[in-house]
Amino acid sequence: MKKAIGLCCLILGFFSSVAFAKQGLPALTVTQAIDGTEQYSVTMEILLIMTALSFIPAMVIMLTSFTRIVVVLAILRQAIGLQQTPSNQVIIGISLFLSFFIMSPVLEKAYEEAAVPYIDEKINIMEAFDIAKKPFQEFMLIQTRIKDLDMFAGLAGYTQIDNHESTPLTVLIPAFITSELKTAFQIGFMLFIPFLVLDLVVASVLMAMGMMMLSPMIVSLPFKIMLFVLVDGWNLVIGTLAKSFGLS
């Protein structure tokens, strides 16, 4: 990591020295602190922050509860039989704001422990990153299955990890995503069952009445919507999703 950052600094420093040769303004500087750590100039920190912003969509999808929520809602729409209702924009919007609700304790902890000291110039950007990632690691470790964690650790060549808290992000993130997909499909399967039973009942009734040419989906769709509304389905689904992350 340090070698990559150093290489980027070297390349950027070269181009900046050429660009600002006449003005004499260095684009970035890297200084060695007394304790041996490296400190970057404000220009370099801004560059790193702007680079990190491009990864925000991937971080929102892969490091939070977003994946589980959006998959469950998509399966629910398919189970009811509504192809475009709610629309993809509505599902993504619900998933996004519900993810913010679920992740709010993690975000607040990262902000208070990392962002605030960095803004007050008590720590540098690398220290802020190391502190900010810890709440996300704790959240992902709670939601990740040990089986998935051990599988990716073995694939990465880690023969032994002292404790799961020291698992590198390169192993933890894919293990977390795999666990989230499995959990989402388990919840989706439980949601699919009552609607499937209703489809079978409607199909059996239509066959008994000799109405072979009438599609069971056309008849069962209003009943599935009515059933979902009568049991307050949105409250149950969203409440179950929130509680599946440990919210009481």
Side-chain angles (χ1 to χ4, degrees), residues 17-88:
S17 61
V18 174
F20 296 98
K22 296 182 178 179
Q23 292 82 354
L25 298 175
L28 59 92
T29 57
V30 181
T31 58
Q32 194 80 15
I34 300 177
D35 57 357
T37 59
E38 294 180 346
Q39 296 181 351
Y40 303 96
S41 64
V42 176
T43 308
M44 181 61 182
E45 293 182 358
I46 293 175
L47 176 63
L48 293 176
I49 292 174
M50 295 301 294
T51 303
L53 289 177
S54 62
F55 291 96
I56 286 181
M59 293 171 62
V60 169
I61 294 174
M62 297 303 175
L63 304 185
T64 66
S65 57
F66 182 86
T67 301
R68 183 188 304 185
I69 297 171
V70 74
V71 171
V72 170
L73 294 181
I75 294 176
L76 173 64
R77 182 177 64 179
Q78 187 69 24
I80 297 176
L82 299 171
Q83 300 300 323
Q84 298 296 331
T85 306
S87 62
N88 292 332

Side-chain angles (χ1 to χ4, degrees), residues 206-216:
L206 292 177
M207 186 175 295
M209 296 175 63
M211 304 174 67
M212 304 294 184
M213 302 302 294
L214 182 61
S215 175

Side-chain angles (χ1 to χ4, degrees), residues 19 21 42 88 95 99 116 119 126 128 141 151 166 188 224 240:
V42 176
N88 292 332
S95 304
S99 298
V116 173
I119 294 173
M126 300 307 296
L141 281 171
M151 180 190 70
S166 61
K224 288 191 289 186
T240 301

Side-chain angles (χ1 to χ4, degrees), residues 21 46 70 76 101 109 147 192 195 204 215:
I46 293 175
V70 74
L76 173 64
F101 171 75
K109 185 176 181 181
K147 179 181 178 181
F192 225 106
F195 299 108
S204 300
S215 175

Side-chain angles (χ1 to χ4, degrees), residues 149-197:
L149 204 60
D150 293 338
M151 180 190 70
F152 281 99
L155 293 175
Y158 293 95
T159 56
Q160 183 178 0
I161 298 178
D162 297 334
N163 53 71
H164 292 100
E165 286 73 14
S166 61
T167 304
L169 289 177
T170 54
V171 173
L172 179 57
I173 292 176
F176 169 72
I177 296 170
T178 304
S179 296
E180 286 294 282
L181 288 174
K182 182 176 181 179
T183 304
F185 274 78
Q186 288 176 339
I187 298 175
F189 172 76
M190 299 303 296
L191 291 174
F192 225 106
I193 291 178
F195 299 108
L196 178 61
V197 172

Side-chain angles (χ1 to χ4, degrees), residues 131-146:
I131 297 174
K133 72 180 183 181
K134 290 181 180 179
F136 289 91
Q137 282 181 315
E138 295 173 357
F139 171 80
M140 289 189 288
L141 281 171
I142 294 174
Q143 305 299 329
T144 303
R145 293 176 173 82
I146 303 299

